[in-house]
Amino acid sequence: MRHFTTITGKDIEQARLFLEQGHTVAIPTETVYGLAANALDEEAVVKIFEVKNRPQFDPLIVHLAEPGQITDYVQYLPRVARRLMDAFMPGPLTLLLPKKAILPAIVTAGLDTVGIRVPAHPLTRALLQSLNFPLAAPSANPFGYISPTRAQHVYDQLQGQIPYILDGDIATIGIESTIIGFEDDTPVVYRLGGLAIETIEAITGPLRLQLNSSSDPRAPGMLKSHYAPRKKLYFDPLQPITAFPVGVIAFNRYSNDYPENCQHLLAENGHLQEAAIHLFDVMRRLDNSDVKAIVALPFPEEGLGRAINDRLRRAAAE
Ligand code: TXA
Ligand code: MG
């Protein structure tokens, strides 16, 4: 693979030029950083899979500047999809919808649906508005590892492999988008994420969840083991810990079971949104520290706490 001197900066024009030349560029979104390329250029999209070391059966999300562009890439919008778009786009929501032929098969891994998202981050929105093509982008991490929430996280892992990182500061949501598909026009949640289920249900009524943990081709990235640090992560309180010292991830209070100085509180203010912002950053810091294992204590199973628990469960899976 070609070697680049990776530059980090806030220059939208520079990012645009690299993307127009068919390169990949890391872009900030409010959820996590993405590794973007021209979604209409098959050769550019292939580079995303190479850089991430991602299997080509795992489809990519297509990012648009405006909700109004969705019908350029999607054949059909259920009525409830329109209501979700009106309520939550731009924002941390991805909709799976039947794709139009203009999108190359590699983007969707041959599936007939495409994941579409309109990110809210101002830099990336301005970038998308300056381009005459949409951006295919998975999270900007090596396949299976923790998603990046800072430009530095991307640099640490992809330095030399990509020409440019558009620096949009720390992600303000910190956890990937919520993914919703449709079965007979009824919405189904395939991935818990940065938009809380309760918030969506206020629009749709009670939602069905299908959070696959295997290799269902409809959501291949929902692999049981994913979002994982290199070190062992314990999330099951019954599993005996065999490696010490440990670093502990906790919500807003210290646990009596561990010394305080090895515990990392994600949100002393008790807000789950605040905890989501810091989750991946703290996981990475512990992974790069001299602890031998990571222990995560359970979060309240409500709001973004459900998505946080989901990520921790997958990070702990063998
Ligand atoms: O917040 C996010 O969604 C971030 C930012 C960069 O937009 N992107 C992201 O992409 O998390 P990625 O590729 O890391 O995760 C997308 C997930 C994968 O599990 C993929 O398998 C699934 O969405 N996916 C994408 N398109 C799909 C499709 N057509 N059908 C089923 N699953 C799909
Ligand atoms: Mg990912």
Side-chain angles (χ1 to χ4, degrees):
M1 217 188 317
R2 177 167 162 193
H3 181 273
F4 294 95
T5 304
T6 304
I7 300 165
T8 301
K10 294 179 184 285
D11 188 347
I12 292 172
E13 188 67 5
Q14 183 68 263
R16 177 176 72 81
L17 289 172
F18 280 124
L19 289 164
E20 286 177 352
Q21 290 160 11
H23 294 299
T24 61
V25 167
I27 57 166
T29 86
E30 71 279 25
T31 57
V32 301
Y33 276 73
L35 180 64
N38 178 353
L40 306 182
D41 177 352
E42 190 171 331
E43 274 177 55
V45 174
V46 168
K47 293 179 188 165
I48 295 175
F49 289 94
E50 287 174 358
V51 169
K52 275 192 63 118
N53 206 359
R54 174 171 171 130
Q56 288 197 9
F57 62 72
D58 198 356
L60 308 178
I61 294 173
V62 171
H63 297 68
L64 304 177
E66 301 292 341
Q69 297 172 315
I70 288 189
T71 46
D72 295 349
Y73 303 99
V74 156
Q75 289 180 28
Y76 163 73
L77 274 177
R79 188 190 294 263
V80 61
R82 284 187 193 276
R83 288 182 17 236
L84 292 171
M85 284 163 54
D86 290 344
F88 303 120
M89 287 187 176
L93 174 68
T94 295
L95 297 181
L96 303 180
L97 294 161
K99 81 184 259 293
K100 281 190 173 166
I102 184 176
L103 291 169
I106 185 164
V107 171
T108 59
L111 298 178
D112 52 16
T113 60
V114 58
I116 298 261
R117 168 158 138 65
V118 180
H121 194 291
L123 267 190
T124 287
R125 289 206 83 194
L127 173 65
L128 282 164
Q129 265 145 6
S130 78
L131 295 166
N132 59 6
F133 48 79
L135 291 174
S139 52
N141 49 279
F143 184 67
Y145 196 69
I146 306 160
S147 296
T149 52
R150 298 170 181 268
Q152 184 67 43
H153 295 164
V154 181
Y155 187 85
D156 290 344
Q157 293 192 295
L158 302 186
Q159 173 205 357
Q161 292 185 269
I162 61 177
Y164 199 71
I165 300 170
L166 187 61
D167 184 353
D169 302 319
I170 184 173
T172 54
I173 290 185
I175 202 156
E176 301 84 351
S177 60
T178 302
I179 300 182
I180 296 205
F182 301 89
E183 278 177 24
D184 301 325
D185 290 1
T186 302
V188 179
V189 179
Y190 289 105
R191 177 173 76 179
L192 298 172
L195 185 62
I197 295 305
E198 296 90 330
T199 310
I200 305 171
E201 286 181 330
I203 302 277
T204 59
L207 282 169
R208 187 156 75 77
L209 271 57
Q210 191 174 314
L211 310 172
N212 298 44
S213 59
S214 64
S215 52
D216 182 331
R218 218 168 359 210
M222 298 290 84
L223 301 171
K224 193 168 172 208
S225 167
H226 218 82
Y227 311 102
R230 287 175 297 268
K231 284 178 186 153
K232 178 150 182 60
L233 186 144
Y234 293 90
F235 188 51
D236 174 359
L238 299 178
Q239 190 176 9
I241 297 167
T242 56
F244 294 94
V246 296
V248 178
I249 297 175
F251 178 28
N252 58 342
R253 299 250 182 287
Y254 291 109
S255 151
N256 293 329
D257 299 341
Y258 303 90
E260 278 192 16
N261 64 7
C262 68
Q263 297 187 50
H264 302 261
L265 300 186
L266 296 192
E268 290 192 55
N269 66 8
H271 294 162
L272 288 161
Q273 293 97 315
E274 180 73 16
I277 292 174
H278 303 296
L279 175 68
F280 290 154
D281 189 43
V282 170
M283 276 168 79
R284 271 176 191 261
R285 270 167 30 211
L286 290 173
D287 208 22
N288 294 326
S289 76
D290 47 17
V291 302
K292 289 288 186 304
I294 303 168
V295 175
L297 305 178
F299 285 71
E301 192 61 26
E302 64 186 29
L304 293 194
R306 298 173 71 172
I308 293 173
N309 286 333
D310 171 87
R311 298 305 187 271
L312 291 170
R313 220 170 278 123
R314 291 177 203 276
E318 294 292 334

